[in-house]
Structure formats: structure tokens, C-alpha cells
Amino acid sequence: MKKRIFISLLCVFLAITLISVFASCDAKSDAMNESAMGGAPEPGEDIKLELDGSQIDSESGEYERKIIKTADISSETKNFDKALEKVDELCKQYNAYIESSTIGGVSYGSEGGSRNARFTIRVPAEKFDTLNEDIDSILNVTSSSSNADEITSQYYDIKSRIEVLELQKESLQKMYDNYTDYSDVNSLISLQDKLFSVIEEIEAYETQIRLYDSKVAYSTINLSIREVVEYTENTEDDPFFKKLGRSFSDGWEVFLDILVGIITIVAFLLPELIVAGGIITLAVILSKKRKRRKADKRESTSENNDNNLDNPYSKH
């Protein structure tokens, strides 16, 4: 009886021990699989990384969207200097800055004057729309367009590539640090080249990420300003007859411009035309006189011949 009880307890103990061992092995196997999946993803699989909280939407769990906003604005102003001052004030107001600027031309006080300016403005993305509206309020905007380029996929794809390359770099660095067979110099040089190549690739991707971060954080506004005497009217909503009248007026102005151009050319060539006209007139007069003399000579010769025929005593 005691032997049976002892054998039963021994069996229970062995069963519990075996169960514990198998559970431990399964846990280690799962941990190794997870580690392997994280360090070396299979071909064709999407690489999923744990990113910091600032890059993940806390509500949806999705990546933070990365959008590059750009606007192109063409505008006019009657007070060029004042317009430049207002643009500078708006930049200060919205914590924006002028990345590049070009100003050319001369004022309307000079002959043929017309000044123009072009600015590339970088403004915090959250203030992009507001600054566009304020520009429309201080200038006569003739045309404008905006573009929102979403780069979320490209951005996090590069982030994933950097993460994988960092793991590769760490592995190569350990191999390089623990390398002991210095007799095989070629293998050492090959290992070093691979390590440097991975480091160079990481730096290139990090540069691209910094560029993306800059463009996402600060949107771009390309603003052009032209000095005018009168603003260009918006004709898109005008009725038909108003457009017809404006077309006739524009055509008449073009005709007058052509006429003025012709008169200007004639006035410029007038001295030469007068000299040429005098020469031509003199040539015509001399030609007419020469023809008259020839005609008179012919008439005189003809009369003499007639007189000789009528006179019986003339010698034949």
C-alpha cells in the first residue's frame, strides 16, 4: 500500500516537472521567434517598428501624417515699398522667415519703370492658411494655387530602413571589434567596407528625414509682387455684354497702339523720307523735261520735212 502511494506521488511529481519544462521551452521558443522576426524580417513582409509617441496618433494608433504644403501667389500693388513692408510685418507676426528674395526694376517715376519682387517664404505649417488669407488682404492677388503633398508612406519607409540598417551596423561593428584573424587582411578590409557602406547609407537616409521634417514643419509660399498703376480686373464673373465691350475697348486700344507705332516710325524716318522725296521729285522733273525736249525736237523735224515737200523749188 505504501509502495503504491509512493509510486503515485512520484508520477505526479514527474508529470508536473515535465509540464514545467515544456512550458519553459515554448516560452523561450516564442521569445526567440519574436527576436528573429524583429531583427531579420522575411522577404515581402512589411517592417513594423515601435516609434515614439510623437509619431503615432494616440486615438487611432496610426502614424502621424506628414504633409508638405506649398502655395504660389502672383499679386499686384500700387505702393511697392509699402507692400514690401507689410510682407515683412506678416512674416514677423506669424514667425515666418524669407528664405530667398529677388527685387528688380525701377519705380514708375523713372522712364519705363516697373518694379517687381519674388519671395520664398517659410511659415509654420499650422499658420499656412492664415498667412495666405492675410496676403490676399494686403495685395491684389491675380492668381494663386496651393498643393498638399502627403509623404507619410515615404517618410516612415525611410524610418524603417534606418532601423534595419542600424541593426546591421551594430552586427557588423561587433564582428569588426571581435575580429582576431589579422592574417586574413582581405576579409578584414571587406568587413570594414561593408560597415562604412552601411554607415554612409544611414547618413543619407537621415539627411532625407531631416529635409522632410523641415518641409513638413515649415510650409512654403512662393510670392511674386508687381508694381502697377491700375489693378488688373477680375473678368471671370462679368456678363457677356460687359466682356464684349471690354474686348472692343481692348481691340481699339491695340489699334491705337499700332497707329501710334506707325506714326512714331514715320517721324523717326522723316528726314530720310524728305531727302529721298526731294531726289525722286528732282529726277521726275528732269525726266519730264528731257521727254519734252525730245518731243519738241521731233515736232520741229516733222514740220521742216512737211515744208520741204510743199515747196516746189526745194531741192530733192
Side-chain angles (χ1 to χ4, degrees):
M1 184 67 180
K2 291 182 179 180
K3 288 182 179 181
R4 290 182 180 178
I5 294 172
F6 175 75
I7 292 171
S8 299
L9 292 175
L10 183 60
C11 291
V12 172
F13 175 75
L14 290 174
I16 293 173
T17 303
L18 289 173
I19 292 171
S20 301
V21 170
F22 284 128
S24 176
C25 289
D26 290 340
K28 288 182 179 180
S29 178
D30 292 340
M32 290 177 66
N33 289 335
E34 290 177 2
S35 176
M37 290 295 290
E42 294 181 3
E45 281 190 322
D46 293 334
I47 301 172
K48 298 181 181 294
L49 303 175
E50 293 185 2
L51 303 175
D52 56 67
S54 62
Q55 296 176 330
I56 301 178
D57 192 319
S58 59
E59 295 182 359
S60 62
E62 297 178 353
Y63 292 151
E64 179 186 356
R65 297 180 66 186
K66 302 293 181 180
I67 300 175
I68 298 175
K69 296 180 180 179
T70 308
D72 294 289
I73 302 174
S74 297
S75 63
E76 299 172 334
T77 181
K78 295 180 181 179
N79 193 332
F80 189 78
D81 296 322
K82 189 66 175 177
L84 298 189
E85 291 178 5
K86 289 182 178 179
V87 169
D88 187 59
E89 291 174 0
L90 284 178
C91 289
K92 293 178 180 178
Q93 178 181 347
Y94 290 105
N95 195 28
Y97 66 93
I98 297 175
E99 186 177 62
S100 64
S101 64
T102 303
I103 301 175
V106 292
S107 65
Y108 272 106
S110 305
E111 185 177 354
S114 176
R115 291 178 290 179
N116 57 81
R118 183 169 181 82
F119 300 103
T120 299
I121 301 172
R122 303 295 302 278
V123 57
E126 65 273 10
K127 300 177 182 178
F128 174 77
D129 295 329
T130 309
L131 180 56
N132 280 336
E133 293 173 359
D134 283 356
I135 288 175
D136 186 67
S137 66
I138 66 172
L139 297 167
N140 182 52
V141 175
T142 56
S143 67
S144 64
S145 63
S146 61
N147 180 58
D149 184 18
E150 183 164 359
I151 58 165
T152 306
S153 177
Q154 301 95 304
Y155 184 90
Y156 290 109
D157 179 62
I158 293 176
K159 281 279 192 180
S160 299
R161 292 176 185 272
I162 292 175
E163 187 74 14
V164 174
L165 288 170
E166 286 288 354
L167 293 173
Q168 188 177 357
K169 172 189 170 185
E170 183 179 350
S171 176
L172 289 171
Q173 187 68 56
K174 287 180 179 179
M175 292 173 63
Y176 183 77
D177 293 340
N178 297 328
Y179 195 84
T180 57
D181 187 10
Y182 294 103
S183 60
D184 189 0
V185 178
N186 292 331
S187 297
L188 179 62
I189 293 174
S190 177
L191 179 60
Q192 188 181 52
D193 289 342
K194 289 181 181 179
L195 178 59
F196 288 165
S197 177
V198 170
I199 293 174
E200 184 179 0
E201 195 171 357
I202 291 173
E203 290 177 350
Y205 281 134
E206 287 178 342
T207 300
Q208 184 65 46
I209 286 293
R210 286 194 294 270
L211 179 62
Y212 277 158
D213 286 337
S214 174
K215 290 186 175 182
V216 169
Y218 275 77
S219 302
T220 303
I221 298 176
N222 298 311
L223 172 64
S224 64
I225 305 173
R226 184 167 62 93
E227 184 180 31
V228 296
V229 176
E230 295 295 337
Y231 288 142
T232 301
E233 296 182 11
N234 185 0
T235 60
E236 293 182 357
D237 300 328
D238 288 346
F240 171 75
F241 288 106
K242 191 172 182 179
K243 290 183 178 180
L244 185 64
R246 184 178 289 104
S247 298
F248 176 79
S249 176
D250 293 341
W252 179 252
E253 289 181 0
V254 171
F255 171 74
L256 291 179
D257 290 340
I258 295 173
L259 184 62
V260 169
I262 294 173
I263 294 173
T264 302
I265 294 173
V266 172
F268 177 76
L269 298 175
L270 187 60
E272 289 83 355
L273 292 175
I274 292 174
V275 174
I279 294 173
I280 294 172
T281 302
L282 181 61
V284 171
I285 292 173
L286 292 175
S287 177
K288 287 183 177 180
K289 285 184 177 181
R290 191 178 296 110
K291 288 181 180 179
R292 285 178 183 176
R293 287 175 185 174
K294 289 181 179 180
D296 292 342
K297 188 179 288 187
R298 291 195 195 97
E299 289 178 0
S300 176
T301 303
S302 177
E303 289 178 358
N304 290 334
N305 292 334
D306 291 342
N307 291 333
N308 291 333
L309 291 173
D310 294 338
N311 187 358
Y313 299 100
S314 62
K315 296 179 179 181
H316 297 283

